[in-house]
């Protein structure tokens, strides 16, 4: 029954599916044409290109957006430790970047350690915030979020679960709850990804922790956004299953709420020209 519902939802013309977390590149990963094939096959209308942590040259993903302006948005990176970081962010924003990717521990040099975060807020650029669980549950990060109430901060990988799971270091339920406590700040959002980030193989996964429902209870559907984590997800359950199987694990959501998690929340955060 749930399988049928997920297929119907992802194929309905009135439900826009937006993937808020993918990587494309020419020096690693895959070119944008491979992504577009996955999008077409899975009825994904729009996608947010998140710059790889290996580079601060955003030229290629900016070019991709210029080629497909109604389908792609861009999360850029800058060298936050550089004395020119704020100016670099301004330059990439003017070139077409919609957002910036920062780690939860990234700070600026000089008198204002929040300079790059503050600049993102001034430019209306949400921050896609990565990093490990331990970095999200500090008082320092909570103070950062509270200090910049006009800056939208989108917490990646359910607060670092995905990046930790790669190293078999899954957080405890208590640690994850501390991440979810950030939902008390209305400028925070959270990304959910494929179940393969925190479930043991083989697929289809059996023992699934209640992370999705916990995130839903804390943030609500309108502050949750699905992202496939393509192409790393291809080494787990694959792109299609990262969408449909994840949707199937959310029976606690109404159809309207699923539309937010798998599309509308991302549309509220990123600008697709």
């Amino acid at each position: 029954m749930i399988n049928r519902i997920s297929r119907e939802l992802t194929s309905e013309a009135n439900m826009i599916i937006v993937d808020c977390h993918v990587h494309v590149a020419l020096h690693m990963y895959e070119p944008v044409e491979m992504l577009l094939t996955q999008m077409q096959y899975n009825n994904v209308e729009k996608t947010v290109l998140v710059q790889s942590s290996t580079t601060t040259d955003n030229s290629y993903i900016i070019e991709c957006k210029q080629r497909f302006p109604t389908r792609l948005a861009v999360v850029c990176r800058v060298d936050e430790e550089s004395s020119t970081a704020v100016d670099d962010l301004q330059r990439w924003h003017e070139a077409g970047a919609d957002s910036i990717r920062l780690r939860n521990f990234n700070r600026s040099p000089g008198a204002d350690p929040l300079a790059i975060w503050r600049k993102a807020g001034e430019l209306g650029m949400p921050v896609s915030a990565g990093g490990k669980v331990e970095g999200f549950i500090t008082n320092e990060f909570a103070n950062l979020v509270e200090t910049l109430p006009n800056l939208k901060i989108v917490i990646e990988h359910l607060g670092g679960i995905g990046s930790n799971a790669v190293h078999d270091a899954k957080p405890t339920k208590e640690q994850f709850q501390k991440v979810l406590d950030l939902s008390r700040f209305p400028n925070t959002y959270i990304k959910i990804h494929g179940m393969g980030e925190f479930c043991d193989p083989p697929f289809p996964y059996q023992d699934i922790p209640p992370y999705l429902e916990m995130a839903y209870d804390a943030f609500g559907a309108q502050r949750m956004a699905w992202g496939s984590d393509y192409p790393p997800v291809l080494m787990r359950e694959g792109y299609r299953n990262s969408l449909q199987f994840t949707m199937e694990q959310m029976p606690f959501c109404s159809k309207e709420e699923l539309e937010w998690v798998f599309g509308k929340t991302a549309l509220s955060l990123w600008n697709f020209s």
Side-chain angles (χ1 to χ4, degrees), residues 196-255:
E197 286 202 322
F198 54 80
C199 292
D200 295 326
F203 183 85
Y205 307 120
Q206 299 300 317
D207 297 323
I208 301 176
Y211 294 146
L212 292 187
E213 188 165 8
M214 292 173 67
Y216 168 79
D217 290 340
F219 284 87
Q222 295 187 23
R223 289 198 284 153
M224 296 175 68
W226 167 78
S228 67
D229 194 31
Y230 172 88
V233 72
L234 299 180
M235 296 184 291
R236 300 190 289 262
E237 67 265 51
Y239 191 96
R240 188 170 185 81
N241 290 321
S242 76
L243 171 59
Q244 292 196 353
F245 188 77
T246 301
M247 189 179 292
E248 290 162 11
Q249 307 313 307
M250 304 181 70
F252 45 84
C253 284
S254 67
K255 175 179 177 294

Side-chain angles (χ1 to χ4, degrees), residues 140-252:
E140 181 186 4
F141 188 75
N143 290 337
L144 181 156
V145 175
E146 187 173 23
T147 300
L148 303 171
N150 295 322
L151 174 63
K152 295 179 179 179
I153 298 176
V154 192
I155 301 167
E156 296 180 1
H157 297 283
L158 278 171
I161 287 178
S163 57
N164 278 355
V166 171
H167 305 289
D168 297 321
K170 298 177 184 178
T172 65
K173 188 174 181 179
E174 290 72 22
Q175 285 178 312
F176 185 54
Q177 187 58 58
K178 289 181 179 179
V179 173
L180 298 181
D181 288 345
L182 291 168
S183 64
R184 68 185 186 274
F185 303 111
N187 56 321
T188 57
Y189 300 73
I190 196 163
K191 293 184 184 182
I192 65 171
H193 302 271
M195 300 294 95
E197 286 202 322
F198 54 80
C199 292
D200 295 326
F203 183 85
Y205 307 120
Q206 299 300 317
D207 297 323
I208 301 176
Y211 294 146
L212 292 187
E213 188 165 8
M214 292 173 67
Y216 168 79
D217 290 340
F219 284 87
Q222 295 187 23
R223 289 198 284 153
M224 296 175 68
W226 167 78
S228 67
D229 194 31
Y230 172 88
V233 72
L234 299 180
M235 296 184 291
R236 300 190 289 262
E237 67 265 51
Y239 191 96
R240 188 170 185 81
N241 290 321
S242 76
L243 171 59
Q244 292 196 353
F245 188 77
T246 301
M247 189 179 292
E248 290 162 11
Q249 307 313 307
M250 304 181 70
F252 45 84

Side-chain angles (χ1 to χ4, degrees), residues 2-22:
I2 294 179
N3 287 328
R4 178 182 63 78
I5 292 173
S6 68
R7 287 195 296 270
E8 288 177 354
L9 282 171
T10 55
S11 63
E12 285 182 358
N14 63 343
M15 182 177 182
I16 298 178
I17 304 295
V18 181
D19 187 341
C20 78
H21 195 99
V22 306

